[in-house]
């Protein structure tokens, strides 16, 4: 049986802007929490930069999960 639909790479590229954006927001909020104990607050540039770096593997892992769910759905009921 051949795979139908998008590959993991295609899903990753389509979802990367959302993954990087979510990671950037999380980096910024984590720096705010870290500032409670005296740490610096991340600037916008640092938050976006780290979000782009952290977002790549996170989005790839999420795309693998989505591809796995697509494969399960293609098999049909009771064939897992």
């Amino acid at each position: 049986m051949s795979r139908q639909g998008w590959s993991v790479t295609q899903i990753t590229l389509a979802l990367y802007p959302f993954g990087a954006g979510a990671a950037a927001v999380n980096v910024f909020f984590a720096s705010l929490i870290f500032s409670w104990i005296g740490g610096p607050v991340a600037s916008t540039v640092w938050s976006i930069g780290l979000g782009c770096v952290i977002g790549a593997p996170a989005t790839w892992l999420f795309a693998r999960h989505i591809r796995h769910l697509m494969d399960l759905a293609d098999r049909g009921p009771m064939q897992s």
Side-chain angles (χ1 to χ4, degrees):
M1 181 166 97
S2 65
R3 276 186 158 180
Q4 297 177 357
W6 291 17
S7 68
V8 172
T9 304
Q10 290 172 321
I11 297 168
T12 302
L13 291 174
L15 294 179
Y16 177 72
F18 302 103
V25 169
N26 285 324
V27 165
F28 178 72
F29 284 130
S31 76
L32 288 178
I33 292 171
F34 186 61
S35 74
W36 295 348
I37 59 170
V41 175
S43 68
T44 305
V45 174
W46 272 101
S47 295
I48 292 172
L50 285 174
C52 288
V53 172
I54 295 170
T59 305
W60 180 74
L61 287 170
F62 183 67
R64 282 186 52 205
H65 174 66
I66 295 298
R67 181 68 245 180
H68 172 71
L69 294 176
M70 290 167 65
D71 291 340
L72 287 177
D74 284 342
R75 284 189 210 151
M78 305 298 244
Q79 294 181 3
S80 45

